[in-house]
């Protein structure tokens, strides 16, 4: 596991109000259950249930993502990114990785939706940052936008942010 926390670094650039994020499937600081692993690791690529509360006044939409900064790429690995969830949506059910009310972007495998954990052998502990941002707008991203483009745009429109970090260990 690297010592770098990308969201702590982003918080030094802009102050974000806290958003409470909880899950019935994953726990902060704990290993991911097998359901949230990829099929190669014995899982089923199932996105976890997430709930959030405490969005400030002015929230127009939400963005949800899962990012592994410990992937041996130099740029991390995006497992999931959804944006433009309406302001009245405060949860996603287990497996609801492509909600009808939002826009799901392609993950690093090139498919829209969630791809589960699968740290390569010899790479140790990986952290999976499940992030929910309350945004002051409904984003207009170009066709084919990547999770990194979403991250750039959401940074400038985030009113509040909540984070759950789960882990997975390579063999």
């Amino acid at each position: 596991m690297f010592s770098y926390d990308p969201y702590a670094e982003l918080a030094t650039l802009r102050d974000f109000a806290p958003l409470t994020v909880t899950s019935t499937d994953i726990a902060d600081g704990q290993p991911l259950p097998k359901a949230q692993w990829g099929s190669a690791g014995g899982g089923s690529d199932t996105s976890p249930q997430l709930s959030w509360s405490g969005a400030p006044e002015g929230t127009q939409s939400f963005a949800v993502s899962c990012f592994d900064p410990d992937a041996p790429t130099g740029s991390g690995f995006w497992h999931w990114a959804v944006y433009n969830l309406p302001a009245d949506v405060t949860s996603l059910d287990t497996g609801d990785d492509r909600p009808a009310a939002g826009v799901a972007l392609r993950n690093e495998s090139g498919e829209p939706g969630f791809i589960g954990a699968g740290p390569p052998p010899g790479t140790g502990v990986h952290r999976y940052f499940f992030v929910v941002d309350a945004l002051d707008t409904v984003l207009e991203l170009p066709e084919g936008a990547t999770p990194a483009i979403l991250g750039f745009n959401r940074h400038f429109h985030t009113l509040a942010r909540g984070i759950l970090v789960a882990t997975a260990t390579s063999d």
Side-chain angles (χ1 to χ4, degrees), residues 10-70:
L10 287 171
T12 67
L13 300 175
R14 265 188 88 218
D15 191 23
F16 300 112
L19 191 66
T20 301
V21 179
T22 59
S23 176
T24 58
D25 295 325
I26 62 173
D28 197 48
Q30 298 301 307
L32 285 169
K34 276 298 181 182
Q36 279 71 53
W37 280 66
S39 57
S44 57
D45 292 309
T46 302
S47 61
Q49 184 279 336
L50 296 173
S51 295
W52 52 91
S53 62
E57 187 174 323
T59 297
Q60 297 296 307
S61 68
F62 292 100
V64 176
S65 62
C66 177
F67 180 68
D68 170 6
D70 302 312

Side-chain angles (χ1 to χ4, degrees), residues 108-154:
E108 296 287 353
S109 72
E111 298 296 323
F114 181 80
I115 183 172
T123 60
V125 177
H126 288 236
R127 297 164 296 160
Y128 297 82
F129 286 74
F130 290 86
V131 179
V132 179
D133 285 342
L135 306 176
D136 66 2
T137 191
V138 173
L139 294 173
E140 294 184 28
L141 299 183
E143 182 74 27
T146 64
I149 291 171
L150 170 61
F152 179 81
N153 283 276
R154 78 200 253 192

